[in-house]
Amino acid sequence: MDSYANQDLDISLIKQFLCCAPLIKMDFTALDYCGFSLDIQKQVLDNTINNDLIKQYPIKTSYQKAFLKLFMQKIEDSGNEIHEDLYAAYCRLVSLSDEESVHYRHFLIDNETSRYITLKENINLISEGTTGLCSWQGALALSKWCAENKEQFYRKNVLELGCGIGLTGMSVIITCSPKQYIFSDCHPMVLDVLCENIKLNFLPNKRCELLRINASERTPKLKLQLKYEQSDVQVMDLKWEDINKRLSEDLSQPDVIIAADILYESSMFDLLISELKCLLTPSNYAIFAATIRNENTISLFLKHLGNYNLAFEECNSPKSTISIQSIDAPVQILKIFQKV
């Protein structure tokens, strides 16, 4: 089959590559079915390594080299000749340095419009004393879940805790059109990169208006504010221990609170839940995505909820998402609310 017209094949492979899915999990099944003709090889190359998005906002050089090497090995194993452009691309990549501190990832959030979210990330999973400078599986799963339940966010006021560099929030804004979306985190470098990513993805849109950049004396914790289509978007420096105080000053009570992959430090559970209780009312709720790396940690969090008279229910997991971490761990979606 020489034609590369299979859209599912095209989107699947591009999605995996652009978000740097672990190569050990890279799915070439559709290509195995279609065959590795020279025409298909060229189209795969043009949609991955030579993609205009990659040229403008490159993913890790080491990842590109490893992907291309794996792809060429697959072609050899199939008994086909390797296109000369693949060799040329590989030689170009080999000549480049791998000494990068930042790179980009690109997440497809809308198949119909081929809309991607582009994120600047740190190369290392832990950097500057935080895990918030790169994307994690829980953020991707929560993005997918929110898109599948967009009616819960449409024209609502949404507050995200521990938002990191923006994957979940920007996905919710684009796919669910909330009335207001507040990104909140407390790490200075995370907030800086988050603001860069928001401006990178939203400002090119003609229906986006930049309202404020950098804090002011009147609002020292508000780092960025813009209007994206119908959504008021804010970036806020917010420590969990300050939530109750901020509610009495300048933070409005949200309709929905969301968070992804913030349940990894059990010593912080009492602080988190006590402040979450301040945010919750009989008419709102929180949606947390928790990657289950340690079942005891999650069990302890759920036990603590009961101590604060909060209840939870497990939501259906989102439909299949790409794995962006090398270690497989399920993601649990929790709805948290006041006990009646």
Side-chain angles (χ1 to χ4, degrees):
M1 179 175 174
D2 291 337
S3 172
Y4 199 57
N6 187 323
Q7 185 68 10
D8 292 335
L9 160 63
D10 188 22
I11 290 296
S12 174
L13 191 61
I14 293 172
K15 281 175 66 176
Q16 293 175 80
F17 174 81
L18 291 180
C19 71
C20 301
L23 293 175
I24 194 173
K25 299 179 180 180
M26 186 69 70
D27 185 8
F28 285 95
T29 305
L31 281 180
D32 290 334
Y33 173 76
C34 291
F36 291 86
S37 70
L38 293 175
D39 179 57
I40 288 180
Q41 293 178 42
K42 183 66 165 62
Q43 292 188 57
V44 170
L45 179 65
D46 289 344
N47 283 286
T48 54
I49 305 295
N50 290 341
N51 191 314
D52 288 340
L53 196 57
I54 296 300
K55 293 177 181 177
Q56 187 173 10
Y57 303 108
I59 64 178
K60 286 184 284 191
T61 301
S62 59
Y63 184 87
Q64 295 186 58
K65 285 190 290 191
F67 169 81
L68 199 49
K69 185 176 181 180
L70 176 61
F71 184 40
M72 290 192 293
Q73 184 62 56
K74 291 282 186 183
I75 296 169
E76 284 189 344
D77 292 345
S78 71
N80 283 275
E81 175 188 357
I82 297 177
H83 198 293
E84 61 181 15
D85 285 2
L86 270 66
Y87 285 119
Y90 187 74
C91 290
R92 177 180 61 81
L93 290 170
V94 167
S95 70
L96 300 176
S97 170
D98 289 347
E99 296 181 3
E100 305 153 302
S101 59
V102 297
H103 73 121
Y104 295 87
R105 272 181 170 173
H106 312 276
F107 295 89
L108 180 67
I109 61 166
D110 190 336
N111 287 354
E112 293 183 4
T113 63
S114 296
R115 176 68 188 270
Y116 284 88
I117 290 175
T118 294
L119 295 180
K120 179 182 178 181
E121 295 192 352
N122 196 285
I123 291 291
N124 302 311
L125 295 181
I126 300 177
S127 179
E128 302 293 332
T130 179
T131 59
L133 290 168
C134 60
S135 300
W136 294 87
Q137 195 66 41
L140 186 59
L142 184 56
S143 300
K144 181 79 170 175
W145 188 90
C146 293
E148 292 173 1
N149 296 272
K150 62 180 65 178
E151 71 284 351
Q152 297 192 39
F153 304 93
Y154 179 72
R155 306 309 296 154
K156 298 293 180 63
N157 295 330
V158 183
L159 169 65
E160 183 178 3
L161 303 177
C163 63
I165 55 174
L167 174 58
T168 300
M170 284 188 281
S171 176
V172 171
I173 292 165
I174 292 169
T175 61
C176 304
S177 301
K179 179 180 180 181
Q180 180 187 69
Y181 195 98
I182 298 177
F183 295 86
S184 76
D185 210 293
C186 65
H187 193 285
M189 186 168 290
V190 171
L191 289 168
D192 287 345
V193 175
L194 169 64
C195 288
E196 284 186 56
N197 284 332
I198 290 174
K199 288 184 283 186
L200 169 66
N201 286 275
F202 286 169
L203 288 187
N205 188 303
K206 293 180 180 179
R207 298 186 65 187
C208 179
E209 179 185 1
L210 182 62
L211 301 176
R212 177 178 298 160
I213 184 169
N214 296 325
S216 66
E217 290 186 8
R218 189 173 65 86
T219 55
K221 297 295 186 178
L222 184 59
K223 301 299 183 182
L224 177 69
Q225 184 177 14
L226 55 82
K227 190 81 170 180
Y228 178 80
E229 297 189 351
Q230 298 303 311
S231 300
D232 176 40
V233 179
Q234 300 181 20
V235 173
M236 194 171 287
D237 180 352
L238 180 64
K239 296 179 180 178
W240 293 346
E241 58 264 35
D242 294 337
I243 288 176
N244 193 26
K245 178 184 176 183
R246 298 289 297 281
L247 277 171
S248 64
E249 294 177 350
D250 58 351
L251 183 64
S252 58
Q253 204 86 35
D255 298 312
V256 189
I257 304 104
I258 68 173
D261 279 338
I262 64 171
L263 306 181
Y264 53 85
E265 183 56 67
S266 58
S267 63
M268 299 294 290
F269 286 172
D270 279 320
L271 172 60
L272 170 60
I273 298 172
S274 65
E275 297 303 308
L276 180 62
K277 186 175 175 64
C278 297
L279 290 168
L280 290 172
T281 70
S283 61
N284 69 1
Y285 53 87
I287 301 292
F288 279 19
T291 302
I292 313 299
R293 300 180 181 88
N294 184 323
E295 291 189 3
N296 291 333
T297 302
I298 301 302
S299 296
L300 182 61
F301 173 76
L302 298 179
K303 181 179 178 181
H304 274 55
L305 288 176
N307 296 339
Y308 286 85
N309 203 38
L310 298 179
F312 75 93
E313 62 185 39
E314 187 172 352
C315 303
N316 292 330
S317 297
K319 295 173 184 176
S320 59
T321 57
I322 292 175
S323 176
I324 58 173
Q325 256 81 53
S326 57
I327 299 175
D328 283 320
V331 177
Q332 191 174 21
I333 306 293
L334 300 168
K335 181 177 182 180
I336 303 168
F337 49 91
Q338 283 191 356
K339 286 183 179 179
V340 179

